[in-house]
Amino acid sequence: MLKVENLTVAYDKKQAVKNCSFQMNEGEILVVLAASGEGKTTLLKAIAGLLPHLRGNVYFRNEKVSDAAEQLLPGHELIRLVNQDFELDAFHTVEENIRLKLLRFNKAYQDQRIISLLRLGRLTPLRNKKASELSGGQQQRLAIARALADEPELLLLDEPFNQLDFQTKTKIADHIKRYLKKNNIAAIMVTHNGVEAMEWADKIIFMEKGRIKRMDTPEFFFNHPDNIKEASFFGQINRLKIKGKVCYFRPGFFSAEKTAAFKRKLEVTFLEKKNLGWYAAFTFSFDGQPFQLFSTEDISNLKQVYIRFFEFND
């Protein structure tokens, strides 16, 4: 459905996206994971045709997407981008903001889509409020509903839930993901949150310094990271020096008994326990080096544990 081929984008001669290539299928959800300033937002805007391409091309359904230097009104009619600044019509109501994206359709269809999208974004009670009167999280939900109004085939989401509280984010994100899957709408979301990436992605693209370093499934990224920087995006990492060698492992990667997966034995001393809701963090010491293990059960009496270490490719 989408093919990005050797895409390079520059600002004032400084390359923000460098020679990026990947493909995605219809209905697939990709998450671009990277720290701030690594080029992920620029990549989204370039895919949408909103920036000029220094080199390379973007193809949507085998047709080249014109970049911002090649058309008077940048963009593609079947690709929608939800920016972090939302781009709402501040003095129109919630309902009017959605309707403005549906003016080429008849009124019956407009009304049906508006009802559906208000429900999707949990915006029905706010339908007559002006966009300027909404909170940041409410504006974010409206921006997503508005982007989906005319049924795009590819939705681009730039950190779409960063303004939502935890409870609202969980409900809205799950609701929107199910909507995309049900309607076979492909999506690319950018985030710096590895947990969010694992929740959303069919595949994850990891970017660093404007380059795509790796594309893989969430499971393989979590269990088989290439390096410590990549591993750290998906949760806390313990670091121990054992017989002169630096070893890394996740706080949940341990066993009280030796198994095929957990073979490396550590003699440990319990230091403290910290409750973190449904689980607790237990701090132990090995050879004078503190580290943490996560467990839903009390493991403070352990004198030895078996660990599975990461083996990095680089």
Side-chain angles (χ1 to χ4, degrees), residues 48-63:
L50 302 177
L51 294 174
H53 304 164
L54 183 63
R55 289 190 301 275
N57 292 300
V58 177
Y59 298 94
F60 184 76
R61 297 203 178 281
N62 297 318
E63 292 186 1

Side-chain angles (χ1 to χ4, degrees), residues 93-131:
T93 66
V94 168
E95 180 176 331
E96 289 167 347
N97 263 276
I98 299 173
R99 192 179 295 277
L100 285 168
K101 295 296 183 179
L102 296 166
L103 296 180
R104 62 191 175 96
F105 301 99
N106 64 53
K107 190 173 185 304
Y109 178 78
Q110 290 179 27
D111 292 342
Q112 175 264 317
R113 286 296 290 160
I114 288 168
I115 291 170
S116 174
L117 291 164
L118 289 173
R119 288 174 179 165
L120 176 68
R122 306 291 171 93
L123 293 164
T124 303
L126 305 171
R127 66 188 302 164
N128 294 317
K129 269 197 167 189
K130 290 182 180 179

Side-chain angles (χ1 to χ4, degrees), residues 1 18 35 80 114 137 159 166 201 226 231 237 283 299 307:
M1 179 185 189
K18 304 172 185 176
R80 292 289 177 267
I114 288 168
E159 301 195 31
F166 178 78
D226 282 342
I237 302 291
T283 303
I299 58 171
I307 301 298

